[in-house]
Amino acid sequence: SGEWQQALSQYLHALETVRVLGQRQGEAVLLSNIGIAYQSLGEPAKALDYLGQALPIFRAGDNRPAAGRVLGLIGRLHLASGRYRQALACEQEALGAAQASGDARSEAATLNNLGMVYAARRDQISARRNFESALALSRSLKDTQGEAAALQNLADAEVDRGKATAL
C-alpha cells in the first residue's frame, strides 16, 4: 500500500507536468497508471474515473492497444462490482481492439476475461467457448501463463457446472 501511495503521488505530480506541456498520450498513460494505483489501493470508483479519462485520449490518438488495455481494466472493475452488462461491453470492445491491432497475447487475455464475465452471468456455454479460444490461442503463442489461466478458468467452469468436484 505504501508503494502504491508513493507511486500515486508521483503520477499525480507528473500528470500536472504533461498537461502543461500538452502531451496528450503521456497524459493518458499517467491517467491509466493513476487508475491502476487507485485500483490497487482498493478505490474502484476513483480507478474508474481516471481510467475513464484516459480512454477517450487513447481513442483520439488512435492508440488501439492502449485503449484495449484500459477497456479491459474498466471491464474487470465492472465485473468485480457485479455490473456484468458494462463489463461485457468493455471486454467485447477490448477484444476488437486487440484483434484490430494484431496483439494476440492481449486477445487471449481478453478472451479469458470475457469468459469470466459470461461465467458470472451464468452463461456457461459462452464462458467455455471463450476459455477454449483463449487456451488455443495461448498454446499457439507458447504462452504458458495464458495457457495456465485458461485451463484454470475451464476447470472452474466445470466445477460450476457440477461436472467436477473441487478439492
Side-chain angles (χ1 to χ4, degrees):
S1 174
E3 293 88 12
W4 280 113
Q5 200 61 52
Q6 185 178 2
L8 180 60
S9 175
Q10 292 173 350
Y11 292 149
L12 288 167
H13 179 72
L15 181 62
E16 293 174 26
T17 303
V18 298
R19 282 181 168 162
V20 168
L21 296 173
Q23 297 175 346
R24 296 291 284 164
Q25 290 298 303
E27 179 181 351
V29 168
L30 285 165
L31 288 165
S32 298
N33 289 342
I34 292 167
I36 292 167
Y38 276 124
Q39 179 182 17
S40 298
L41 290 167
E43 298 190 49
K46 286 183 180 179
L48 279 171
D49 177 44
Y50 280 92
L51 292 168
Q53 291 178 57
L55 186 57
I57 298 170
F58 282 134
R59 284 178 171 156
D62 201 30
N63 189 338
R64 284 184 178 168
R69 285 189 295 276
V70 168
L71 282 161
L73 290 166
I74 293 170
R76 285 188 293 286
L77 285 165
H78 284 310
L79 176 61
S81 299
R83 293 185 300 269
Y84 304 137
R85 187 173 36 82
Q86 294 94 325
L88 185 60
C90 286
E91 295 296 351
Q92 286 173 331
E93 191 174 344
L95 181 62
Q99 290 169 334
S101 63
D103 184 351
R105 282 188 194 274
S106 291
E107 181 179 349
T110 304
L111 286 164
N112 260 320
N113 294 339
L114 268 169
M116 288 188 284
V117 174
Y118 283 119
R121 292 175 58 153
R122 300 289 184 221
D123 180 349
Q124 296 305 322
I125 294 170
S126 296
R128 186 171 182 79
R129 184 180 64 242
N130 280 277
F131 295 147
E132 288 171 348
S133 295
L135 178 61
L137 187 53
S138 294
R139 284 182 171 161
S140 75
L141 296 168
K142 300 193 183 332
D143 176 6
T144 55
Q145 188 175 6
E147 183 178 348
L151 286 168
Q152 178 66 52
N153 288 333
L154 279 166
D156 290 345
E158 286 302 307
V159 170
D160 287 345
R161 283 183 45 182
K163 289 192 171 183
T165 304
L167 298 178

